[in-house]
Amino acid sequence: MQLHGSGFAFLARWSGLNGLHMQRWLLAFLAALGCLLLWVLLRPRPSVEEARSGARPAAHAPTFPVRGGASSRGSSDEPFADLGDGRRASAGAQVSDRRSLLRPRPDVLVPEGQIDAGGDASGKPKPELATRPNVLPGHSMPLGVSAAGAESVAGEAVLALPFDDPQKASAGVQPLAEKDVVYDEFGAVFGPNALFVAPPPDDVSANAGAVVFWLQPAWAGNSGSNNAYFIWRMPHMFENRISIFKNGPFLRFLLADSLGRETDVSVGVMSWKADEWHHVAASWGDFVATFYIDGRPVGSREYANDIIIAPGTPWYIGSDYPGGAQGANSRIRGFHVFSRALQPEEVLALMEETRPPGA
């Protein structure tokens, strides 16, 4: 009995000791839980907008160029906001505003050949060549097109640069900028660093048109150079472009519509030789683009959307914007721009009407 009594006493003391420890542990746990609850209730909370922005990844600026329309590159109400120098240009830019878009090209020449546009080394002028008559006899004209018909087509041009008289030079057209261009009795020689910018009429639309000219390159077709012949676009814009240029072994007629979708009509020029004349024509309208070489269509492509270029946007002829392709490095003659698409017989008529001597 005495043993049992002492055992009960020990158990009672042990239970009381552990109960005390349990009470302390419980109080500590409850205190920690209360602190955590208090922190949750009192911690600073972000605003709704911050919470939303934090829930999605940060947006990155698109890598230029971006295809797919104005909505992917800012507001469509300000399509020409980014002009490189931080200023904005309105759709109806004046001549003074358009001049400010021009920047001098670098003077580093990498010519593949030079066209001699003057006298020989002794300084003596070259003998004059007989010039072709302005009106061709009827038997020389394409079937179904008279000489008078060819003249009437040329009379529709919104820009006419015959380049057939060095005294008249740019035929009364006052360019916004001109550099590295020399005139002789055969045409206008555009050097590798050429810059020739012409102001278009303010009412000309880009939805339909044609560009026609004779070309005598200083380069050979297999040279791999990039040379510009006609550029109509705003700088830093991927959409709404019309261009004719040499790209390595190809001569290309390239359109980009209002959604940035490209239409490319190209012809291989690997077999072209330097100093040979070729006639080039590009025509577009009714969502069809056609490219002509030496009076024959070499390709035709459909495009999906309108081409919208702001009125007053300058034409780069035989040249490109700074940082673009080299100048034409070619002699050009009979350069005409039209505000409508041309028919094949009209292209043939203009080719004959503006044919250079000896071509």
Side-chain angles (χ1 to χ4, degrees):
M1 295 294 296
Q2 186 178 1
L3 179 61
H4 287 287
S6 60
F8 281 121
F10 173 77
L11 287 175
R13 288 195 302 273
W14 183 82
S15 298
L17 184 60
N18 281 319
L20 181 60
H21 283 292
M22 290 294 293
Q23 290 176 1
R24 291 177 178 175
W25 278 107
L26 182 59
L27 291 174
F29 174 75
L30 292 176
L33 186 61
C35 291
L36 179 61
L37 182 61
L38 187 63
W39 176 81
V40 170
L41 292 175
L42 298 181
R43 71 184 179 91
R45 297 185 180 186
S47 65
V48 175
E49 189 62 30
E50 291 173 342
R52 287 178 180 174
S53 62
R56 57 177 180 260
H60 295 280
T63 302
F64 187 83
V66 176
R67 306 173 190 239
S71 61
S72 63
R73 200 168 22 252
S75 170
S76 59
D77 294 331
E78 297 178 335
F80 309 129
D82 181 15
L83 295 180
D85 56 2
R87 293 178 297 101
R88 303 185 180 187
S90 63
Q94 301 300 318
V95 172
S96 59
D97 298 325
R98 296 198 299 268
R99 284 184 184 276
S100 66
L101 299 178
L102 308 175
R103 284 174 281 176
R105 297 178 62 87
D107 288 323
V108 180
L109 299 181
V110 191
E112 298 169 9
Q114 293 289 347
I115 298 176
D116 188 357
D120 56 21
S122 64
K124 297 179 180 180
K126 293 184 177 180
E128 295 184 1
L129 299 180
T131 57
R132 200 175 181 92
N134 290 330
V135 180
L136 297 177
H139 63 77
S140 300
M141 301 305 300
L143 183 63
V145 178
S146 65
E151 283 192 326
S152 66
V153 173
E156 291 185 45
V158 294
L159 176 68
L161 298 170
F163 294 141
D164 58 357
D165 186 344
Q167 301 303 319
K168 295 180 181 178
S170 56
V173 175
Q174 184 63 41
L176 300 175
E178 182 177 357
K179 175 186 175 185
D180 199 14
V181 182
V182 180
Y183 303 90
D184 62 15
E185 66 270 31
F186 303 107
V189 178
F190 291 77
N193 270 7
L195 183 65
F196 190 99
V197 189
D202 288 335
D203 58 349
V204 171
S205 168
N207 271 330
V211 178
V212 183
F213 58 95
W214 277 94
L215 162 68
Q216 185 188 38
W219 43 259
N222 60 356
S223 64
S225 65
N226 297 319
N227 303 93
Y229 292 92
F230 179 76
I231 306 295
W232 192 12
R233 66 178 177 86
M234 287 296 290
H236 312 297
M237 285 286 292
F238 186 79
E239 303 85 0
N240 300 310
R241 292 177 290 120
I242 299 173
S243 54
I244 303 171
F245 59 101
K246 179 180 181 287
N247 182 205
F250 296 97
L251 192 65
R252 303 176 65 185
F253 170 35
L254 183 66
L255 306 178
D257 64 20
S258 56
L259 292 183
R261 297 173 181 172
E262 289 186 332
T263 299
D264 183 10
V265 189
S266 301
V267 59
V269 294
M270 286 284 290
S271 62
W272 285 20
K273 296 179 174 59
D275 300 327
E276 288 184 349
W277 282 103
H278 292 278
H279 189 259
V280 178
S283 179
W284 70 96
D286 293 328
F287 303 102
V288 176
T290 305
F291 203 23
Y292 299 83
I293 299 296
D294 295 329
R296 298 181 178 181
V298 295
S300 185
R301 300 284 187 275
E302 293 183 351
Y303 55 95
N305 303 286
D306 288 336
I307 302 170
I308 304 171
I309 300 179
T313 300
W315 289 328
Y316 280 67
I317 297 170
S319 57
D320 196 358
Y321 282 93
Q326 278 192 326
N329 198 18
S330 308
R331 181 181 277 110
I332 294 176
R333 182 183 176 96
F335 195 99
H336 291 80
V337 181
F338 297 85
S339 60
R340 66 171 179 87
L342 295 182
Q343 299 302 314
E345 60 270 17
E346 293 175 317
V347 171
L348 282 169
L350 284 167
M351 181 181 74
E352 291 298 331
E353 177 66 17
T354 58
R355 183 182 292 274

